[in-house]
Amino acid sequence: MANLKKQTFPVLNMHCAGCANNVEKTVRKLVGITDASVNFASNTLSVSYEMDKLTPGEIRAAVLAAGYDLIIEEDHVEERQEEEQQKRYRRLKGRVIGAWLFAIPLLLLSMVFMHVPYSNEIQMVLAIPVLVLFGTPFYTGAWKQARLGRSNMDTLVALSTSIAFLFSVFNTFFPDFWYSRGLEPHVYYEAAVVIIAFVLTGKLMEERAKGNTSTAIRKLMGLQPKIARVVRNGKEEDIPLEQLRIGDLVSVRPGEQIPVDGFLTEGDSYVDESMISGEPIPVEKKTGSHVLAGTINQKGSFIIRAEKVGSETVLARIIRMVQEAQGSKAPVQRIVDKVTGIFVPVVLGLSVLTFFIWMFFGGVDMLSHAMLSAVSVLVIACPCALGLATPTALMVGIGKAADHHILIKDAVALEQMRKVNVVVLDKTGTLTEGHPTVTGWLWAQPQEEHYKDVLLAAELKSEHPLAVAIVTALQEQEHIEPAALDSFESITGKGIKVSYQGTEYWAGSHKLLKDYHAALTDVLGEMLAQYESDSCSIIYFGRKNELLAIVAIKDQIKATSVEAVRELRTQGIDVYMLTGDGERTASSVAARLGNIQYISDAMPDDKEEFVRQLQLQGKTVAMVGDGINDSQALACADVSIAMGKGTDIAMDVAMVTLMTSDLLLLPKAFNLSRQTVRLIHQNLFWAFIYNLIGIPIAAGLLYPINGLLLNPMLASAAMAFSSVSVVLNSLRLRFYIPTDSSPCAS
């Protein structure tokens, strides 16, 4: 769908998981919406919509009608959201302080000085400001939801405090109604006030903890400079980043962050790209070199011609990808959302049921016990802990991965990674450095070296990584000029063929050699065996059915590849290597990597078929490649992982991108996935257990056994603690170091 657009908007005024559920339901009903998801932990709405049917303004209008708000401006969205969160935190802090200033003397009056004259009236006077001034958001929120036929946490708080307050007011002014029936007229002003105070305190702690879950995003955003220095009419001037345009000349001085993606037009320097690529050594930059936004200029000054600005830079794309991943939902969250959607109505029903059971079987103090228990059920059953369980763990886990230069596309990928038991690795650029060099030439006849110009011309048109090595050797080292070819054709998975002066030439793999029925001489065969046993890749060059030369190309195995393979095996993961190289070369490389299993002479279709065969055996397969040459196998795999190199990051192709060339990130990614999912399960367990145990106790289940009846004040404290504990449990992941083979902490 050409007009389909995906956007993420910050949501304002959400208080609980029920609010998130309501916003999601509201947006999903709009015509033109194809998908909508609300993340309560990050306070964001991720939405896909048809631009010809819907606008962001119309989405916002619907959300406003539901009692919430969206930030739809595209400029400075993150800063605006941060500002709004700070404002919300300050307002919340003020309400908490104000509520406790009234709650403490009220508690003293109700528990210590209850015999003071006009004690009930004084308590009522102290309670009213708390309900009216500090508890207002609960009542307005509940009213807005009621008008829409919905409910959320505000409904529970508003109902419980209103019931306690109104019942107390009646007992204050009409005590004789109860005295005439032989009953004591109790008041519960302190319960109503302390419930609001505790809930507000819990919200404050929750907001503070939730803010810590987005540390990774703030760190990435900190890499973006706010000002750029452009060169116009020979003069330098500072302008805001959003005013930059493609083609602008940008001046960068030593120690400054580079504001755009582009090419050097003047000057030279060394640039620290570790924050993007993960490579610690500064990279030399000269005229014509490519640089990325967010990287830091080290020594010299230079001028860049802007190629990508604003939201199109690699850094901006990384930030956007992390945000979208943090806002995505794991499969388990879908179940939780359904539970949360019916949770509040069920709790309301349980509260009413509790009241009537106590009225029928409660004895002398039946009314007092009925009201206390019904209110306690309303208070203790907050869906916040359930709503926060999954997204907080995901936000921290995906953020932690980004800190380690592992980009995870969404929550589904994160959850799926923990199930992987087979890793299939491409050789070139994955296990090897990706910088192949020619190590040997062997011509069938010495006088045939004049065909090098044809070979150069052919390889210049090839996109294969090994072609670069031949081009470098012929053009830069031997200064060969390319011949003028008549035609060129790429043969998928095998090589290339060209026409020169009416004669057909070809260059490629052993399979192409067989296709042309070209024969190896004994001398060539002997040297070939030596090259292959030394882990060299072989390119065959021929004319018609005649072999002209073999080219030995070596790509060094990365220093960390052997260790990475060992760590994967330690985790119980089988490792396979797929390569287009011949049997002897593949065998030699596999032996150096620890005798891993391999498939040689593999074409793109072969790679895909191999992955499918593993899946048919019940395996969960992760394919690791460059995201382009291995696209078929990557698309087929359960988890697709791309090796990124600066601008070559295959973020749009793979589910996971390892931004450095270090393969040791792979076992780290699997460990982090397992740890994050374990935290999600822990959070959900405690959230469910809390409600499973808390609600029956609040209803008075233990009263017949030991006389225990839960006070609503204690219920509100328990409710606040449950939400905070879930967030704090997720935050433990921030201190987790994903060492390669260490078992994940439980």
Side-chain angles (χ1 to χ4, degrees):
M1 213 175 289
N3 65 337
L4 193 67
K5 187 173 183 180
K6 187 177 181 180
Q7 274 186 281
T8 299
F9 302 109
V11 187
L12 306 177
N13 306 327
M14 288 198 303
H15 312 302
C16 67
C19 295
N21 209 42
N22 288 334
V23 173
E24 192 169 302
K25 282 181 180 176
T26 300
V27 175
R28 282 185 179 274
K29 287 179 180 177
L30 298 175
V31 177
I33 294 290
T34 59
D35 190 35
S37 167
V38 174
N39 187 320
F40 176 48
S42 61
N43 291 320
T44 54
L45 163 69
S46 297
V47 62
S48 296
Y49 63 97
E50 298 174 50
M51 291 187 289
D52 58 342
K53 294 182 181 178
L54 205 59
T55 65
E58 290 170 327
I59 299 172
R60 186 190 178 206
V63 172
L64 277 167
Y68 309 95
D69 198 2
L70 287 184
I71 300 173
I72 61 172
E73 298 86 0
E74 294 200 10
D75 293 334
H76 307 294
V77 173
E78 290 83 6
E79 288 89 342
R80 172 86 189 280
Q81 187 182 14
E82 186 79 19
E83 188 184 318
E84 290 292 337
Q85 284 174 341
Q86 288 296 325
K87 283 183 185 175
R88 172 175 163 77
Y89 184 79
R90 285 195 295 271
R91 285 197 300 268
L92 201 51
K93 193 175 181 180
R95 289 198 184 103
V96 169
I97 294 169
W100 282 110
L101 283 174
F102 286 90
I104 291 168
L106 190 55
L107 280 169
L108 289 171
L109 269 172
S110 65
M111 295 178 180
V112 183
F113 306 107
M114 67 282 287
H115 301 301
V116 170
Y118 300 106
S119 173
N120 288 356
E121 286 80 0
I122 296 170
Q123 289 182 52
M124 183 183 72
V125 170
L126 288 170
I128 288 171
V130 176
L131 272 66
V132 173
L133 296 176
F134 311 122
T136 300
F138 296 119
Y139 302 107
T140 55
W143 173 245
K144 286 176 182 176
Q145 295 308 308
R147 285 170 54 198
L148 297 168
R150 297 174 184 166
S151 54
N152 60 5
M153 193 201 77
D154 291 344
T155 310
L156 300 178
V157 175
L159 273 175
S160 59
T161 54
S162 299
I163 292 167
F165 180 78
L166 293 172
F167 183 74
S168 300
V169 169
F170 181 85
N171 290 355
T172 300
F173 290 106
F174 305 102
D176 292 338
F177 179 84
W178 301 109
Y179 287 133
S180 63
R181 290 164 173 77
L183 298 171
E184 190 72 25
H186 297 289
V187 295
Y188 301 101
Y189 294 117
E190 82 286 356
V193 168
V194 173
I195 286 169
I196 287 175
F198 265 128
V199 173
L200 287 172
T201 303
K203 287 287 151 199
L204 185 70
M205 293 169 69
E206 189 184 296
E207 276 300 313
R208 189 178 179 90
K210 276 168 63 180
N212 290 331
T213 62
S214 55
T215 304
I217 283 292
R218 285 199 295 271
K219 196 182 292 182
L220 285 168
M221 286 169 56
L223 297 175
Q224 295 179 303
K226 302 290 186 286
I227 301 291
R229 190 180 302 105
V230 296
V231 181
R232 290 174 179 169
N233 302 318
K235 295 181 180 178
E236 295 183 357
E237 59 176 292
D238 291 342
I239 64 168
L241 204 63
E242 58 268 19
Q243 293 182 15
L244 274 175
R245 298 291 179 265
I246 293 170
D248 279 345
L249 295 175
V250 181
S251 173
V252 183
R253 294 170 186 170
E256 292 182 341
Q257 285 180 316
I258 297 169
V260 295
D261 291 0
F263 294 91
L264 265 68
T265 59
E266 288 182 34
D268 57 75
S269 182
Y270 284 84
V271 173
D272 179 3
E273 296 183 340
S274 59
M275 63 290 297
I276 300 288
S277 69
E279 305 291 349
I281 302 170
V283 181
E284 187 180 7
K285 301 291 181 181
K286 299 178 179 179
T287 302
S289 297
H290 192 238
V291 291
L292 299 173
T295 57
I296 300 171
N297 180 26
Q298 296 284 286
K299 296 180 179 179
S301 299
F302 50 76
I303 293 174
I304 308 164
R305 184 175 297 280
E307 181 191 28
K308 291 179 180 177
V309 299
S311 62
E312 297 305 311
T313 64
V314 169
L315 177 62
R317 288 175 66 203
I318 290 171
I319 293 171
R320 193 159 58 247
M321 181 178 174
V322 175
Q323 282 177 320
E324 287 175 0
Q326 289 183 329
S328 64
K329 289 186 178 181
V332 69
Q333 182 65 20
R334 308 281 177 190
I335 302 167
V336 175
D337 287 346
K338 289 178 181 178
V339 172
T340 305
I342 61 169
F343 191 81
V344 175
V346 168
V347 169
L348 291 173
L350 287 173
S351 176
V352 172
L353 182 65
T354 299
F355 182 85
F356 283 111
I357 289 174
W358 272 103
M359 289 299 292
F360 280 109
F361 304 105
V364 179
D365 290 324
M366 60 181 182
L367 185 62
S368 177
H369 288 170
M371 199 202 71
L372 277 175
S373 299
V375 169
S376 293
V377 168
L378 288 174
V379 172
I380 204 165
C382 172
C384 289
L386 280 174
L388 289 166
T390 301
T392 52
L394 283 174
M395 284 185 70
V396 179
I398 289 167
K400 188 75 177 176
D403 284 344
H404 287 269
H405 303 286
I406 303 164
L407 294 183
I408 299 171
K409 203 165 195 175
D410 55 32
V412 176
L414 185 74
E415 192 166 343
Q416 188 75 347
M417 281 170 70
R418 74 185 177 97
K419 301 175 185 175
V420 168
N421 47 28
V422 176
V423 168
V424 178
L425 300 163
D426 175 50
K427 183 181 81 84
T428 305
T430 302
L431 289 163
T432 63
E433 294 287 357
H435 304 298
T437 55
V438 174
T439 58
W441 297 89
L442 199 58
W443 293 87
Q445 301 292 335
Q447 68 268 25
E448 292 179 345
E449 289 200 22
H450 66 268
Y451 294 117
K452 285 182 178 179
D453 59 343
V454 179
L455 178 60
L456 173 60
E459 297 295 359
L460 277 169
K461 294 181 178 292
S462 175
E463 296 179 353
H464 197 280
L466 298 183
V468 177
I470 296 175
V471 169
T472 302
L474 293 176
Q475 200 169 41
E476 297 181 14
Q477 296 172 14
E478 298 191 31
H479 306 293
I480 304 293
E481 292 295 325
L485 302 177
D486 301 328
S487 66
F488 170 88
E489 183 183 340
S490 177
I491 307 167
T492 304
K494 294 181 180 180
I496 53 177
K497 66 177 181 181
V498 299
S499 176
Y500 174 66
Q501 295 182 351
T503 304
E504 188 174 292
Y505 294 83
W506 50 269
S509 67
H510 190 255
K511 285 190 175 181
L512 195 60
L513 176 79
K514 285 183 176 179
D515 287 351
Y516 279 93
H517 306 288
L520 279 164
T521 65
D522 292 340
V523 175
L524 287 178
E526 190 176 322
M527 287 300 299
L528 177 67
Q530 289 184 28
Y531 284 139
E532 288 183 325
S533 63
D534 193 34
S535 307
C536 291
S537 299
I538 304 298
I539 296 293
Y540 300 89
F541 175 50
R543 178 181 60 185
K544 297 182 180 177
N545 62 349
E546 179 188 4
L547 179 65
L548 297 176
I550 58 173
V551 188
I553 300 173
K554 191 159 186 178
D555 191 3
Q556 295 292 335
I557 295 171
K558 292 173 186 172
T560 56
S561 290
V562 177
E563 191 180 347
V565 169
R566 186 170 62 249
E567 296 296 348
L568 289 170
R569 283 173 163 174
T570 303
Q571 293 182 18
I573 298 172
D574 294 330
V575 182
Y576 289 85
M577 178 184 74
L578 299 184
T579 177
D581 288 332
E583 168 66 26
R584 277 197 294 253
T585 300
S587 174
S588 175
V589 173
R592 295 187 180 199
L593 291 166
N595 292 314
I596 63 171
Q597 303 172 83
Y598 65 91
I599 303 294
S600 60
D601 292 316
M603 295 179 65
D605 289 346
D606 299 329
K607 293 181 180 181
E608 181 186 359
E609 181 58 29
F610 182 71
V611 170
R612 291 196 186 279
Q613 287 300 319
L614 287 171
Q615 290 170 326
L616 288 172
Q617 295 170 27
K619 306 288 189 182
T620 303
V621 183
M623 173 69 194
V624 187
D626 61 11
I628 302 165
N629 296 340
D630 307 295
S631 56
Q632 287 176 244
L634 283 165
C636 176
D638 299 290
V639 179
S640 53
I641 302 172
M643 300 293 287
K645 292 179 184 177
T647 54
D648 297 326
I649 296 168
M651 288 182 281
D652 298 326
V653 178
M655 297 161 72
V656 180
T657 301
L658 308 180
M659 293 179 62
T660 82
S661 57
D662 188 355
L663 202 60
L664 275 174
L665 287 184
L666 197 57
K668 286 181 180 179
F670 290 132
N671 262 339
L672 198 54
S673 164
R674 286 191 284 270
Q675 175 68 355
T676 304
V677 173
R678 185 175 285 119
L679 274 181
I680 290 172
H681 292 164
Q682 286 175 2
N683 287 349
L684 288 173
F685 172 79
W686 288 114
F688 276 112
I689 284 295
Y690 162 79
N691 282 295
L692 204 62
I693 296 173
I695 291 174
I697 292 174
L701 185 68
L702 298 179
Y703 187 78
I705 303 167
N706 56 12
L708 178 65
L709 198 64
L710 193 66
N711 190 295
M713 293 186 291
L714 294 176
S716 63
M719 182 268 284
F721 176 75
S722 71
S723 298
V724 174
S725 62
V726 162
V727 181
L728 291 177
N729 189 47
S730 296
L731 286 172
R732 289 195 304 129
L733 197 59
R734 284 180 58 192
F735 307 103
Y736 169 68
I737 300 172
T739 51
D740 311 316
S741 60
S742 63
C744 297
S746 58

